[in-house]
Amino acid sequence: MSAKHTPEKVETGFSSGDASTGESWKLTLPCTAQEARILEEDIGLLAELDPLPVLMTSEPDPARPEQWQLDAYFENKPDDVTIALITALIPSAAGVTPKIEKVEQADWVTLSQAGLEPVRAGRFFVHTSTNADNIPVNAKPFLIEAGLAFGTGQHETTTGCLMMLDRLKREGNLYRDLIDVGTGTGLLAFAAMHLWPRAFATASDIDPISIDVTRENAEINDIPLGTREGRLALVVAEGMQHRTIQRRAPYDLIIANILAGPLIEMAPSIAAVLEEGGTLILAGLLDSQAHRVATAYRRQGLRLAGRIDRGEWPTLMLRKRRRFG
């Protein structure tokens, strides 16, 4: 992560400040790395605000990886109710008075995307439209704009998953039935389909907005949608019990970049749809949570077979043991 005040995530809300007042407002609170990660998944009751604020989480000082910062941008000065909604999202900041200041009118979504550096992970190059002219030779590019869904490639968990997928391909692994659980923007599903273009692919998410974003990103990146070989099926689903997910099982590759708690809770259902000898990629967990997550899957007959660490965010690769006799 950069030592600069680089945005890790943007929740789209408005585009150019309040046209009538010519001003915008910023609210700043300290947060933890885990709280920043959770915000990328769920903005709670803020989703009901109209217009949505723009949220950006960042790591101001790499020497202090647990001390992050939340900046929320508004068209107008936030009222007491809005301030309370923001502070409720950051339990570690209880008792801290938010810093609220007037800022120059600006297109915060555009500015935030300009601050998002492109990501090179193995053969993949993930970028926004501001970097579309700087694609390296021999790289597979994906255009993923910052927006309402998590998974632009900027976060270490997404980057780690891309690197793990690249490693699996280089090692000669072949997959024919894959699923990206909690797909967010669709990026990891797109990357897996590029590596194994003849696979039956599925992308699921509990959030319908994420599936809408994935559908849009698929069109932008020329990813064919559908249920046939070489196409991506999209499913709005909570967990693995959805009829379509069950019907397309078993999977020989499952990618789940979520959070430690849900990963542990879903261990039995994820393991149940992974075929024997199949590969599972897990991310969205902190280094301090890796043992508990790996243990939950070990109890389901999986073994830890690989790991990539990006700062305090590990990506785990597990294999389901084959049964004999």
Side-chain angles (χ1 to χ4, degrees):
M1 296 182 183
S2 172
K4 299 179 181 178
H5 190 82
T6 302
E8 290 293 323
K9 176 67 174 75
V10 180
E11 297 291 343
T12 57
F14 57 91
S15 60
S16 58
D18 190 323
S20 61
T21 63
E23 64 187 32
S24 300
W25 290 79
K26 180 173 76 168
L27 181 154
T28 301
L29 274 174
C31 67
T32 66
Q34 179 71 349
E35 287 167 339
R37 179 67 171 86
I38 292 173
L39 278 176
E40 292 163 349
E41 297 282 337
D42 183 8
I43 61 172
L45 294 177
L46 284 182
E48 298 179 7
L49 296 180
D50 185 18
L52 284 171
V54 172
L55 303 185
M56 291 192 288
T57 57
S58 59
E59 181 188 31
D61 184 358
R64 299 179 178 181
E66 270 301 319
Q67 297 183 13
W68 280 52
Q69 178 173 300
L70 167 67
D71 293 303
Y73 295 91
F74 302 87
E75 287 188 2
N76 300 298
K77 186 175 182 179
D79 57 23
D80 291 342
V81 173
T82 301
I83 294 171
L85 290 175
I86 292 281
T87 55
L89 295 173
I90 312 295
S92 68
V96 177
T97 300
K99 179 182 178 181
I100 302 174
E101 58 185 320
K102 186 187 296 186
V103 294
E104 293 182 4
Q105 182 177 1
D107 182 343
W108 293 110
V109 174
T110 300
L111 288 178
S112 64
Q113 294 195 147
L116 290 175
E117 294 296 326
V119 171
R120 184 69 188 261
R123 72 195 68 200
F124 302 112
F125 184 77
V126 187
H127 64 96
T128 63
S129 55
T130 56
N131 303 108
D133 296 329
N134 300 311
I135 298 172
V137 178
N138 298 325
K140 171 57 182 177
F142 288 111
L143 172 59
I144 306 290
E145 303 285 21
L148 282 171
F150 171 67
T152 61
Q154 296 294 322
H155 199 278
E156 303 291 7
T157 59
T158 309
T159 302
C161 288
L162 291 171
M163 294 173 66
M164 185 64 77
L165 289 169
D166 184 74
R167 175 189 294 181
L168 290 170
K169 178 65 174 182
R170 285 188 285 105
E171 291 175 349
N173 292 276
L174 175 64
Y175 300 107
R176 294 300 306 273
D177 295 277
L178 63 90
I179 183 170
D180 178 17
V181 182
T183 193
T185 62
L187 172 60
L188 297 179
F190 301 165
M193 291 178 68
H194 171 72
L195 298 175
W196 299 284
R198 298 184 63 182
F200 291 89
T202 307
S204 71
D205 203 289
I206 191 174
D207 186 358
I209 292 177
S210 289
I211 295 302
D212 289 341
V213 170
T214 297
R215 184 177 291 107
E216 294 171 3
N217 285 335
E219 181 177 356
I220 292 170
N221 290 280
D222 296 323
I223 305 296
L225 299 180
T227 59
R228 294 180 298 177
E229 178 184 284
R231 295 179 178 270
L232 180 63
L234 303 180
V235 182
V236 177
E238 180 177 358
M240 310 301 292
Q241 302 307 317
H242 191 279
R243 180 175 57 186
T244 299
I245 293 176
Q246 291 290 320
R247 186 175 65 245
R248 293 171 72 88
Y251 303 94
D252 51 10
L253 174 62
I254 299 178
I255 309 160
N257 180 15
I258 324 177
L259 292 170
L263 286 176
I264 293 172
E265 181 181 348
M266 295 170 63
S269 59
I270 288 179
V273 297
L274 181 65
E275 73 174 26
E276 292 182 13
T279 302
L280 173 63
I281 297 174
L282 300 178
L285 53 139
L286 290 162
D287 181 63
S288 60
Q289 301 166 326
H291 177 72
R292 286 189 292 124
V293 172
T295 298
Y297 285 86
R298 190 177 299 115
R299 290 170 179 161
Q300 302 300 321
L302 281 76
R303 63 178 178 84
L304 184 63
R307 174 170 172 158
I308 291 175
D309 289 280
R310 299 281 299 176
E312 61 186 330
W313 303 96
T315 298
L316 308 181
M317 189 268 286
L318 302 97
R319 305 270 190 180
K320 188 172 182 178
R321 299 180 187 275
R322 297 183 185 274
R323 291 176 292 183
F324 298 93

